Amino acid sequence: MGRLFGTDGVRGLANRDITADLALQLGTAAARVLTARRDDDSRPQAIIGRDTRQSGAMLAQAVAAGLAAAGVDVTHVNVVSTPAIAFLTSSGDYDLGVMISASHNAMPDNGIKFFAHNGYKLEDATEDVIEECLGEEWDRPVGEAVGRICEDYELAAHAYIEHLLTAVEVDLSGLRIAVDCANGAASDLGPQALRQAGADVVVINASPDGKNINDACGSTHPEQLQALTVASEADFGVAFDGDADRCLAVDHTGALVDGDQIMGVLASGMKRHGTLASDTLVVTVMSNLGLLIAMKEAGIAIKQTGVGDRYVLEEMRAGGYTLGGEQSGHVIASQFATTGDGVLTALLLAQEVARTGRTLADLAGIVTRLPQILINVPGVDKERAGDDEGLAEAVALAEAELGDTGRVLLRPSGTEPLVRVMVEAATQAEADKVAHRLAEVVAERLALG
């Protein structure tokens, strides 16, 4: 059996892979591991939130029950974004935070993410200890020592939005922003924050019904936002994913502005204002070569990590850097957040547009993206992706063919049973040709059974 925790918590098909029983056990195990820091007689505390999936309430209640069974008092804040849970955990007297979400995945999936008392995602070693505790016999608290569960559905709406607004130093009045909330966790929080910052906001996909989260909308499907931005004559648009830890944008012409371009805009602005620590941006190996070239020309150094915003954050913390993220739209501004925050990213992007008086299309032009293609190859043994000699030979041949004008990256997904094939090249036709050829090799060499 493989490791239970993936690159972003525990995730899978709700009520099959991620069951109420597993959620309860994880709550208890996490409580035993993450509340050991208290050296007084005060009761350990936890905060838990969820996105809008139908299975979310079931799993949140199960995790809360597991925490309470371990003697932890639990505050349940209901529907809220992942970065809101991270902030509330770090700003309150909580030993841990829990978010029930499968982020950008389709509605049938769900997941459980844990945050330490400082609002940061757990290190691999800590997750491993939690996993080892699952199902262990232990001395359970009884009587008054059993934890209590309370609800506070207004906490996030006030404390978190108030915190977000501290990041905005200019009035956003005069900006019209189109917002696609993905029928997810930011359906209320996102538009509220932008409006309170002064922007005129046009909203779509902010009517969650438990089933429509990420359904042909949000950051993974920006087509509706592209049409709305043009039709509403907005200055630009932003799209969140289901738990709002991602943000992608659309300029006034309807052109997509991805996470690489957003980071290029923000890094350049922060460098001008002296807030980009060490004039360095932290990105993953998935970032487009165009961003790396643009940042070099702007005098901004690049640090690259493995894929996953947690690894970006680890590098940021180690080096004291203030901006990092992923092409997918996970952007971490460490002065204000301990994780990727889609709503914060939207506010910072709007601030840069307002400060400069330039269009987002003009600002994003700093990054000329090299043609890129990403192919997901399902139904394969992703664990063998780094060991198969035939596949390694095919990759080496492709890299030699592309030379200095492109690159190849094969990556097993951390959350899904597939291998991702990414190719960049001087032309789209060349990238497509190489990527599809490699995808066929992956499907053949790593076939299950």
Side-chain angles (χ1 to χ4, degrees), residues 219 246-248 258-260 263 286 325-331:
S219 62
R246 294 187 185 193
C247 173
L248 294 183
D258 70 7
D260 283 342
M263 286 188 291
M286 290 292 286
E326 298 185 281
Q327 185 185 72
S328 60
H330 281 120
V331 177

Side-chain angles (χ1 to χ4, degrees), residues 370-391:
L370 291 181
Q372 182 187 82
I373 180 173
L374 179 66
I375 300 176
N376 292 331
V377 185
V380 295
D381 182 0
K382 65 180 183 179
E383 305 300 329
R384 293 194 289 118
D387 302 325
D388 187 87
E389 292 184 3
L391 180 56

Side-chain angles (χ1 to χ4, degrees), residues 245-268:
D245 62 355
R246 294 187 185 193
C247 173
L248 294 183
V250 170
D251 69 25
H252 71 284
T253 71
L256 184 66
V257 177
D258 70 7
D260 283 342
Q261 292 166 299
I262 290 172
M263 286 188 291
V265 172
L266 296 183
S268 299

